[in-house]
Amino acid sequence: MSRARRAGTRPKAVIIGARLKRSFSVHSSDTEEYVTPKKRLRKDISSPCASDSTPSSCRVIRVAARNPSVCADDFDLSTALRRCCTRIDASIVGELKDLPHGKGLVPCVQRLLHTIKLNVKKRFCAKDRIIETELYLSWLQELGFVVTGIENLLNAKIPGTRQRLKGLGHITFGILYHIIDGFISDVDHHHDGRLSRGAEEHPIYPVTMSLVEEAKDSSTDSRAEKAVRLAEEALAKYDRVMEVALRRLKAESRKTLKSARTIAHKERALARACCLLCEQTGFCEDKGGTGDSILQSTRRLMRQWKAEHGITDADEYDSPDDS
């Protein structure tokens, strides 16, 4: 008998066989091939973790894909700007930046102004006899959330920094420009159709007093003066925010003749519109009746911009509405 048997020890081959048997026994079948798990290296991009040593702290960060351009025909600008009155988040900023510029923005603005007029009409019942100036003031005051929302957008900062969010000049100025342009067009449309409508009920406009009724009511003069004063205050706030948006637009734009011509085109159109608004409402009325003090700061900056490129009021040019 060998020395190993006498000592009660097992042969080396038997020990190795037992170890192999225990290794296979952890699988569902002894016939399955045992494959040693691949060690995940720190640079292994197939692994969501940095290494196997710290699997519990591993997180898979999913970056949301960029949304396609927002369709102006479907976007609810009114709801978006109301959200901006209380909170600015990345999603709403992205949606606003994706909106089309220029005339492509008009459908959104038209729906917003339509909602404004409906909201004002709901506040007045059929028996309320208001004067025209009070109606136009109500439209302006209803636009307060637009001014507040855009002001918050322009003041929003990159989280963790003191830097303001970039790339908002184009869309904020575009929204404010098209809204004030649409508002003045609505005033003009209502003013021109006043005589033809008479006292009949209108689906959008509340009933306003006729000129004869205003002349017979002694309170209309003081009411008109109050409405004009409040409207001028609302327009002054609108002007302050619009000027900030224009400065941001100028800082973010290329210093090209094309951009200056676009601003010159808008300034000329805005000057005519403000003159019309002053004539029909008495807002910011001056000796010449030109309405030069309506949106005064914004229009001054627009004139400075075009003057930097040598553009004058006498110049004739065609400029696309691309902002």
Side-chain angles (χ1 to χ4, degrees):
M1 183 179 293
S2 66
R3 185 177 300 175
R5 290 181 182 273
R6 287 196 303 270
T9 59
R10 301 171 65 184
K12 185 176 182 180
V14 176
I15 295 174
I16 295 174
R19 288 177 179 173
L20 289 174
K21 186 175 181 180
R22 285 197 299 270
S23 297
F24 280 100
S25 65
V26 298
H27 300 284
S28 59
S29 171
D30 287 347
T31 61
E32 292 179 1
E33 182 181 2
Y34 178 72
V35 180
T36 304
K38 178 184 176 182
K39 183 177 180 180
R40 287 173 175 168
L41 302 178
R42 187 173 295 274
K43 295 183 179 181
D44 185 0
I45 60 175
S46 65
S47 170
C49 302
S51 69
D52 273 353
S53 60
T54 57
S56 60
S57 62
C58 167
R59 291 190 306 163
V60 180
I61 301 176
R62 293 179 174 85
V63 180
R66 185 180 182 274
N67 292 329
S69 295
V70 177
C71 179
D73 293 334
D74 302 327
F75 188 72
D76 190 343
L77 183 59
S78 178
T79 300
L81 292 178
R82 289 186 188 278
R83 284 171 54 191
C84 293
C85 291
T86 56
R87 183 172 179 268
I88 304 295
D89 54 56
S91 63
I92 194 62
V93 171
E95 290 175 358
L96 289 171
K97 283 185 176 181
D98 286 339
L99 283 173
H101 296 156
K103 294 181 179 179
L105 189 61
V106 172
C108 288
V109 171
Q110 288 178 338
R111 286 195 301 274
L112 182 147
L113 291 172
H114 182 76
T115 303
I116 291 296
K117 293 193 287 287
L118 288 178
N119 291 342
V120 170
K121 179 176 171 57
K122 292 176 183 177
R123 292 210 303 265
F124 297 104
C125 59
K127 64 180 180 180
D128 290 332
R129 309 302 290 176
I130 62 174
I131 58 178
E132 267 194 334
T133 314
E134 291 173 329
L135 173 61
Y136 305 149
L137 168 65
S138 298
W139 288 350
L140 266 180
Q141 291 177 330
E142 191 70 20
L143 287 171
F145 75 92
V146 172
V147 179
T148 301
I150 289 186
E151 186 176 28
N152 289 346
L153 276 170
L154 293 170
N155 289 331
K157 297 180 180 179
I158 300 173
T161 71
R162 301 179 65 180
Q163 296 181 353
R164 301 192 189 280
L165 291 175
K166 298 180 180 179
L168 289 172
H170 221 129
I171 189 62
T172 53
F173 177 77
I175 290 172
L176 290 173
Y177 174 83
H178 287 295
I179 283 180
I180 197 65
D181 182 67
F183 163 75
I184 296 174
S185 295
D186 286 341
V187 170
D188 181 47
H189 184 268
H190 178 271
H191 187 273
D192 288 347
R194 180 182 184 184
L195 295 178
S196 61
R197 282 191 304 272
E200 63 184 14
E201 184 72 13
H202 192 275
I204 297 179
Y205 307 134
V207 178
T208 55
M209 298 173 66
S210 66
L211 294 177
V212 175
E213 290 173 325
E214 288 186 25
K216 293 180 179 180
D217 191 336
S218 59
S219 67
T220 54
D221 288 341
S222 59
R223 289 165 58 186
E225 290 177 1
K226 180 180 179 181
V228 168
R229 176 174 53 81
L230 294 176
E232 290 173 350
E233 293 175 0
L235 286 169
K237 183 175 181 180
Y238 198 101
D239 184 27
R240 287 194 297 271
V241 177
M242 192 172 181
E243 182 192 8
V244 174
L246 180 60
R247 291 188 183 279
R248 292 281 287 274
L249 170 62
K250 186 178 181 182
E252 296 167 3
S253 300
R254 296 179 179 179
K255 307 300 186 290
T256 62
L257 180 61
K258 179 182 178 181
S259 61
R261 282 179 172 174
T262 299
I263 292 300
H265 175 82
K266 291 181 179 298
E267 190 275 331
R268 182 178 296 180
L270 202 56
R272 290 195 296 264
C274 290
C275 180
L276 179 65
L277 182 65
C278 175
E279 178 185 337
Q280 294 182 337
T281 64
F283 296 165
C284 303
E285 191 172 13
D286 50 23
K287 293 182 179 180
T290 57
D292 285 341
S293 58
I294 299 178
L295 305 180
Q296 187 175 34
S297 299
T298 300
R299 292 163 60 193
R300 182 189 302 117
L301 182 58
M302 296 172 84
R303 289 193 295 270
Q304 291 174 358
W305 189 341
K306 71 179 186 180
E308 291 172 2
H309 291 265
I311 301 174
T312 66
D313 293 337
D315 291 336
E316 295 293 336
Y317 51 84
D318 293 326
S319 177
D321 187 7
D322 59 354
S323 65

